[in-house]
Amino acid sequence: MQVSSKAKRVFSIALPAIGESYLHSVLGVVDSFFIARLGLLSINAVGVTNIYSMTYIGVFTAISATLSVFLSRVFGAKDEERSKSVIFHGLFISILIGLLFSLVSVVFANPLLTMVGANEQLQNTAIIYFKVVIGLTPFIALFTAQSASFRAIGDTRTPFRVGIEMNVIHVILDYFLIFGIGPFKGLGITGAAFAMILARINGFLRLVIISQRIPAIALKISDFKVIWNLVGGMMKFAIPATIERLSMRLGQVIYFGLIIRMGTEVYATHNIAGTLTTFAFTVEGGFAVADSTLIGQAIGENNLSDVKEYRKWSYTISRYNDRYNCNIGSWKPLDRQNIYS
């Protein structure tokens, strides 16, 4: 049986995206493996921090999804100037939100840890790790947005390759900064925080360097112009997705707070198991990336038949596309003049 070219294209984009998602999950597994050697209290310190870290990453993912939607459409329309503008504004919004979350979280670190049920001992262990990880979340926001710019043009292999590099660097830094070597005695869980952030900063810089070789997404100084209509349009799209993410995470904050109160061992077990279960969601996410990228590009090309084909194959292959509520019949050709409004 001959496989449709559309199905092959869905696979070619989805598979590296799935691999990239697995690599991001491996970061958490490596951290858990090393930190477990420091004791249950250290595992729990990372766990209470991750409650907020994953919440913020969910927000950054919503913003990057907005960037992907806007960029895939203008890229499909072969509008290089607006493609670069969308990327700049995606990075601009990401860094602003990242800085806001970072500042508020660092200033109110102790109340936030108390809110999820951390007692005084756990707070004292977690506070420096919390401030480093959460304080440097703007870099995670930038990395997430830059990765989205590659996926929006159909290049999921580059983020995948950078993800491999990032994992290798993370493993080396994790061991060195947590346990030390020679005269350097290591920083414990604080070292794990720096290892994670430094690995992501390296990943972001690698993506920026590679993007400069691709004319459609290579930013120049002249592209650094704020167009408030575009900011408003992207925020209008991002806010509902962000609220959805935050509402989902609020329930988890309450849930995790209840587990913390059950004791150190129970919460440590929950953290280890929770880290491993993140692998269960990667396949669906990869096909979602392929779905949104290809459909966005087809809309930009005003090609309704391709929109239907990509939707059909994404749904057929993944059995997951219903989540995105893609109402093909209601789509209209792209209005290039009003994409900023």
Side-chain angles (χ1 to χ4, degrees):
M1 183 180 70
Q2 187 175 6
V3 180
S4 165
S5 61
K6 299 294 187 296
K8 291 179 179 178
R9 196 171 180 200
V10 169
F11 264 117
S12 69
I13 293 178
L15 293 182
I18 293 169
E20 183 193 358
S21 295
Y22 271 108
L23 291 172
H24 284 297
S25 298
V26 168
L27 289 174
V29 171
V30 170
D31 260 357
S32 296
F33 175 76
F34 286 131
I35 292 170
R37 297 173 62 179
L38 299 177
L40 295 181
L41 194 60
S42 294
I43 293 176
N44 289 344
V46 173
V48 293
T49 300
N50 284 345
I51 294 174
Y52 293 101
S53 179
M54 295 307 296
T55 299
Y56 298 167
I57 289 175
V59 173
F60 303 148
T61 301
I63 296 171
S64 70
T66 301
L67 189 158
S68 292
V69 168
F70 277 69
L71 180 56
S72 63
R73 294 188 180 191
V74 293
F75 181 79
K78 297 178 173 56
D79 192 331
E80 188 173 297
E81 181 181 351
R82 290 188 178 182
S83 293
K84 295 179 180 182
S85 183
V86 167
I87 294 171
F88 165 69
H89 284 83
L91 293 170
F92 176 71
I93 294 171
S94 295
I95 192 67
L96 285 183
I97 300 298
L99 287 171
L100 175 63
F101 281 14
S102 172
L103 179 62
V104 171
S105 299
V106 169
V107 171
F108 298 101
N110 287 108
L112 287 172
L113 290 171
T114 300
M115 191 168 69
V116 294
N119 57 30
E120 184 177 354
Q121 183 184 22
L122 182 53
Q123 285 188 37
N124 291 335
T125 303
I127 192 67
I128 297 178
Y129 181 88
F130 181 91
K131 288 184 176 181
V132 172
V133 171
I134 302 301
L136 296 176
T137 50
F139 290 107
I140 299 177
L142 288 173
F143 174 79
T144 305
Q146 188 66 58
S147 297
S149 68
F150 280 89
R151 291 192 292 268
I153 65 172
D155 181 2
T156 52
R157 294 184 181 183
T158 295
F160 175 63
R161 289 195 295 266
V162 171
I164 294 175
E165 296 175 18
M166 189 168 66
N167 271 267
V168 172
I169 292 171
H170 178 246
V171 170
I172 296 171
L173 289 176
D174 230 11
Y175 185 88
F176 175 72
L177 293 176
I178 292 174
F179 304 113
I181 186 170
F184 176 62
K185 300 304 181 183
L187 302 173
I189 63 169
T190 303
F194 280 113
M196 177 73 77
I197 294 298
L198 289 173
R200 289 188 184 273
I201 291 174
N202 177 79
F204 168 67
L205 294 176
R206 287 283 293 127
L207 289 175
V208 169
I209 292 170
I210 295 171
S211 70
Q212 295 306 301
R213 306 170 193 163
I214 304 173
I217 61 174
L219 296 181
K220 302 187 294 291
I221 297 298
S222 58
D223 298 315
F224 287 55
K225 296 181 296 185
V226 178
I227 302 173
W228 292 108
N229 284 343
L230 178 55
V231 172
M234 294 181 74
M235 290 301 295
K236 187 185 298 184
F237 191 98
I239 287 172
T242 299
I243 292 174
E244 178 193 0
R245 297 274 181 173
L246 288 175
S247 63
M248 292 170 62
R249 291 294 177 182
L250 178 60
Q252 290 183 320
V253 168
I254 297 171
Y255 169 60
F256 291 160
L258 293 174
I259 295 176
I260 291 175
R261 289 172 173 84
M262 295 173 67
T264 301
E265 293 184 2
V266 173
Y267 189 59
T269 302
H270 166 78
N271 284 327
I272 294 172
T275 299
L276 296 175
T277 58
T278 57
F279 287 99
F281 306 103
T282 54
V283 174
E284 294 87 348
F287 281 105
V289 168
D291 189 19
S292 59
T293 297
L294 294 172
I295 288 176
Q297 291 181 10
I299 292 174
E301 296 167 355
N302 295 330
N303 192 334
L304 185 60
S305 62
D306 277 3
V307 170
K308 294 179 178 179
E309 280 291 302
Y310 288 131
R311 180 182 186 272
K312 179 185 73 175
W313 283 111
S314 296
Y315 178 83
T316 301
I317 296 168
S318 69
R319 301 287 184 178
Y320 195 66
N321 199 46
D322 282 345
R323 172 181 174 182
Y324 291 87
N325 194 27
C326 295
N327 299 314
I328 296 298
S330 65
W331 271 329
K332 298 178 181 179
L334 175 69
D335 183 348
R336 296 187 180 93
Q337 300 301 319
N338 293 328
I339 191 165
Y340 288 107
S341 62

